[in-house]
Amino acid sequence: MPELPEVEVTRRLIAPLLIGRRIRAVHTTRPSYFFLTPPAQLRRALVGRTVGALERHGKYLLASLDDASRLLLHLGMTGQLFSSVVSSPRLLSSTARASLTPEAQRGFVPDAHTHLRLELDGGGPDVVFRDVRKFGKVLLLAPGSSDPRLDKLGPDALAVTAEQLARAARRRAGPVKSFLLDQAVLAGVGNIYADEALFLAGVRPLRGANRVRPGEWARLADSVRKVLERSIETGGSSISDYIRPDGADGGYQDERRVYGREGEPCSACGARIVRVVIATRSSCYCPRCQR
DNA sequence: CGTTACACCTGAGGGC
DNA sequence: TGCCCTCAGGTGTAAC
C-alpha cells in the first residue's frame, strides 16, 4: 500500500519518537518471510542501541544506530508503522475490537501481525511495526555495508527531472506506466501515484515509454512531484490499510482523479474512467484526457 | 538488457 | 449462511 507519500508522512511522525532514544527492549514474532535479519539476531543487535537519524530512500526507511549499523525497513503492501498510544479502527478486525475492554480499546494491543515492537527509554510510546501480509521487510545492515535493494534505487521521485526520465526511457518500449513503477528509474512511485501523475500529464499509461515526447516528460516530471507533494500535505492515501503513525487517516484518497475510479465520470471532461491491466497491475485512466 | 509471469501472504468483498 | 473466486498501495526471481 504505502508509496512515497505514506512513507514520508510515516518518517516525519515516527522520527521524533525514535531519534535520540535508547532501545530498551525489542519484541518480535517468529521467523518468517518478513525478517531478512532473523528476529533473534535482530533483538540481540538492537537492544541498548540509540537511534540517530531516520531517513527515507524511495519507499525505504533507514534508521542509523549509534554503533554505525543501520536498520532498513520497507512497509510492503500492508505494513503499518505507528505509535503504541494510538487507537485506530484500522488496526483491528471488528470482532477482535469488540472483545477488548474499553481501556484496551484506547491503546494499541499487539496481535499476531505485530512483527516488531521497540520499547524506548524516556517514557515515550513504543514504536510498532504491524504487517498483515508480511510483504514488508526488516533488515539490519552491518557498519559500512549496504544492500542491493538500496543500491539499485534511481533518483528519489520528489527530485527527479524530465531529462533523467527521458534518458532512462530511450530503450524502453514497454508501457510508460510500468516504467514509472520501476524503482531503478525513479524511487517512490507506486500504482496510485503513477496513475494520478499520468492523468495530470495527459499521457496514456499504455503508451511506450520511448514514445513519450520531451514536452510530455516535462509535464510528467512536474506531475509526479505535484501529486506526491500534495499527498504528503494531506497525510497520504488511507484506502485500505494505511494509517498515519498517530492513528489518523490520511486525506489524499479523497483527491484521487482516476485511481480506483473505473466507470466514474472524469472530473475534468466527464468521460467514463477506464481500467486496463498492465503487467498484472490495474491501471485507470481517462480515455479522453489522456493520449 | 528489457519485459512479463508468477510467487510471496492474508483478508475483504462480491456472486451464487 | 457459507463457499469460492477475485482483488489489493510491492518487489524479487525466473524465463523468454
Side-chain angles (χ1 to χ4, degrees), chain A residues 61-83:
Chain A
L61 287 173
L62 198 55
S64 35
L65 306 173
D66 59 355
D67 63 352
S69 65
R70 300 182 296 170
L71 186 65
L72 185 64
L73 306 173
H74 194 288
L75 299 180
M77 287 280 268
T78 52
Q80 302 168 313
L81 198 58
F82 55 92
S83 153

Side-chain angles (χ1 to χ4, degrees), chain A residues 190-268:
Chain A
N191 212 26
I192 297 178
Y193 301 106
D195 278 7
E196 295 299 310
L198 285 165
F199 173 81
L200 276 198
V203 175
R204 259 191 219 212
L206 279 161
R207 179 114 63 93
N210 59 1
R211 301 218 319 263
V212 174
R213 295 185 303 265
E216 293 175 316
W217 283 123
R219 291 215 303 276
L220 258 178
D222 282 350
S223 301
V224 164
R225 193 176 338 101
K226 193 174 300 181
V227 161
L228 297 177
E229 283 175 351
R230 175 59 189 160
S231 182
I232 292 169
E233 276 176 28
T234 64
S237 295
S238 290
I239 293 171
S240 71
D241 296 283
Y242 170 72
I243 52 161
R244 305 187 340 173
D246 58 9
D249 278 355
Y252 197 77
Q253 64 280 5
D254 300 327
E255 301 192 14
R256 284 170 300 136
R257 310 290 293 273
V258 287
Y259 176 82
R261 295 200 181 280
E262 178 187 14
E264 296 180 31
C266 170
S267 54

